[in-house]
Amino acid sequence: MVNSKIYVVTHKPFVLSKEMKEKGYELITVGNQIKSNEGVLDSDGNDNIALKNSNYCELTAVYWIWKNVNSPIKGFCHYRRYFTHNTLKYDEEKILSNLEVEKLLDENSIILPEKKYYNISSEELYLKCGYKKDLETTRQVISEKYPDYVGQWDKMMSDNSGYITNMMLCRADVFDRYCEWLFDILFEVENRSNISDYTKEEARIYGYISERLLGVWVEHNHLNVKEFQSINPEKDFGLRFLTYRMSVRLGIYKTIKTIMWKIKR
C-alpha cells in the first residue's frame, strides 16, 4: 500500500515538527487569514468550498480532501488535536503514524476519537452554541433525502454521547461515501437557512451540525469503529485532565456521566 498522508487542518500559522512529518502528517490551511508556506496545501485550490470556511470550519478542508486526494486512506485531525495511544501528556512518540493507521484500517472501517459522554443530551449541548430551528431543518432534510436515517438522528439528539471535534481516519471508499452523504445534507440545510444575524460563533453552524451527523452515519452503517484518545497540547494537562483520563482508564467515565445525566433528567 502507498503510504497515505494524514492532513492537519490549521487556520493560523503553524509548523509541523520533523517527527510529525516523518509520521506522515501534512498541513492543510483553511480560511483567508493565512496563506501557506511552500510545500503546505491550501484548501482553496482545485475543486473547493474555501469561501464557506466561516460557516463550515474544517469541513472546507474535508471537502478538498474528498474531491482532490487520490489515496487509499483519507483522514484529518487538527493543529491542536491528534489521535494518540493512551497518554497523560502530549507525546509525539505516541501519536499515530500513517503506517499504524494503514494497518489498523485493514481490520477496521474508521478511526475516531473516543466517544464523549455529557451531563446533558446531545440536543441540549448543541443549543449551547446554536439554535433549535437549525436542528429541525437538518432533521427535515434528512427525512426527505435519507428517511432511513431519521431514527438514528432522533436517538442521537436524545442521547448523552457523541463523536465530537470532527476528526476521522478511514479507507478512501468509506471517507468518500460519508462526504457524499454529509455535504448533500449540509448544502440543502444551508439553502434553507438564514444566518445573517448570527454571531461569528453561531455562524459556524455547519461545522457544528456535522459533528452530530458523523455519529448518525457511523451507527446507521454499522461501521467497525476503532477509537483512540485525542490529545490537545494546548489544553490537555493539569488536575482536571488527569482526573478525566484516569476515569477513562478505570472504565468509570461513561458510568459517572450517564448517572449525572439521568439525575438531571
Side-chain angles (χ1 to χ4, degrees):
M1 178 182 290
V2 177
N3 291 347
S4 304
K5 293 292 185 182
I6 301 172
Y7 292 94
V8 180
V9 182
T10 181
H11 69 281
K12 68 178 187 179
F14 185 75
V15 177
L16 280 174
S17 69
K18 177 182 177 182
E19 290 75 15
M20 292 295 286
K21 291 179 180 179
E22 290 175 348
K23 282 177 173 281
Y25 288 81
E26 182 171 349
L27 281 177
I28 181 170
T29 65
V30 296
N32 57 10
Q33 297 93 336
I34 61 171
K35 294 299 291 182
S36 67
N37 297 320
E38 183 179 354
V40 179
L41 294 171
D42 294 307
S43 58
D44 62 355
N46 300 321
D47 191 347
N48 73 85
I49 56 169
L51 294 178
K52 296 179 182 289
N53 179 254
S54 60
N55 308 127
Y56 279 76
C57 311
E58 63 278 334
L59 292 184
T60 56
V62 175
Y63 183 95
W64 190 93
I65 295 168
W66 171 36
K67 291 294 187 177
N68 299 290
V69 172
N70 182 16
S71 170
I73 301 297
K74 293 184 180 181
F76 63 98
C77 55
H78 304 272
Y79 73 97
R80 60 180 180 177
R81 293 191 186 94
Y82 305 91
F83 290 101
T84 180
H85 295 282
N86 287 329
T87 183
L88 297 178
K89 65 177 182 178
Y90 179 74
D91 182 352
E92 288 188 350
E93 290 187 4
K94 293 189 176 182
I95 293 175
L96 294 186
S97 70
N98 60 343
L99 295 178
E100 288 182 284
V101 170
E102 289 174 358
K103 291 179 181 178
L104 287 164
L105 291 176
D106 284 339
E107 299 180 354
N108 301 279
S109 303
I110 188 169
I111 296 172
L112 294 175
E114 292 171 335
K115 183 175 284 189
K116 296 291 186 181
Y117 293 83
Y118 327 117
N119 301 337
I120 56 179
S121 70
S122 295
E123 179 177 345
E124 291 170 316
L125 182 67
Y126 180 87
L127 295 179
K128 290 181 176 291
C129 61
Y131 296 97
K132 188 176 180 67
K133 67 182 180 68
D134 298 321
L135 296 179
E136 293 172 342
T137 299
T138 303
R139 187 185 190 280
Q140 183 61 36
V141 170
I142 293 172
S143 69
E144 294 172 13
K145 287 179 168 287
Y146 304 96
D148 51 337
Y149 282 80
V150 172
Q152 279 85 17
W153 171 265
D154 291 342
K155 179 178 181 295
M156 181 274 298
M157 280 285 104
S158 63
D159 205 353
N160 73 320
S161 64
Y163 294 110
I164 60 174
T165 69
N166 266 341
M167 292 168 53
M168 62 189 300
L169 304 168
C170 49
R171 298 192 307 270
D173 62 309
V174 176
F175 188 95
D176 292 348
R177 288 200 308 271
Y178 169 65
C179 286
E180 183 176 5
W181 176 85
L182 174 70
F183 287 105
D184 188 36
I185 292 172
L186 292 181
F187 289 160
E188 183 57 32
V189 173
E190 182 182 12
N191 288 338
R192 302 184 189 188
S193 301
N194 180 0
I195 62 173
S196 58
D197 61 346
Y198 282 20
T199 66
K200 182 178 180 179
E201 181 179 68
E202 292 166 351
R204 297 169 183 164
I205 167 176
Y206 310 113
Y208 295 147
I209 291 174
S210 72
E211 289 183 294
R212 280 72 189 173
L213 288 173
L214 175 58
V216 171
W217 189 78
V218 166
E219 181 172 338
H220 180 84
N221 289 284
H222 306 291
L223 296 188
N224 183 17
V225 178
K226 179 67 175 179
E227 296 183 4
F228 276 89
Q229 177 187 348
S230 66
I231 187 78
N232 183 336
E234 295 181 356
K235 294 183 178 180
D236 288 347
F237 52 83
L239 181 59
R240 182 175 181 180
F241 172 69
L242 292 176
T243 301
Y244 159 62
R245 290 311 310 168
M246 290 307 299
S247 70
V248 172
R249 288 191 180 187
L250 293 171
I252 60 176
Y253 162 67
K254 176 181 177 180
T255 301
I256 292 173
K257 288 289 188 178
T258 302
I259 290 174
M260 295 175 67
W261 173 55
K262 289 183 177 179
I263 289 174
K264 286 189 174 183
R265 295 177 71 190

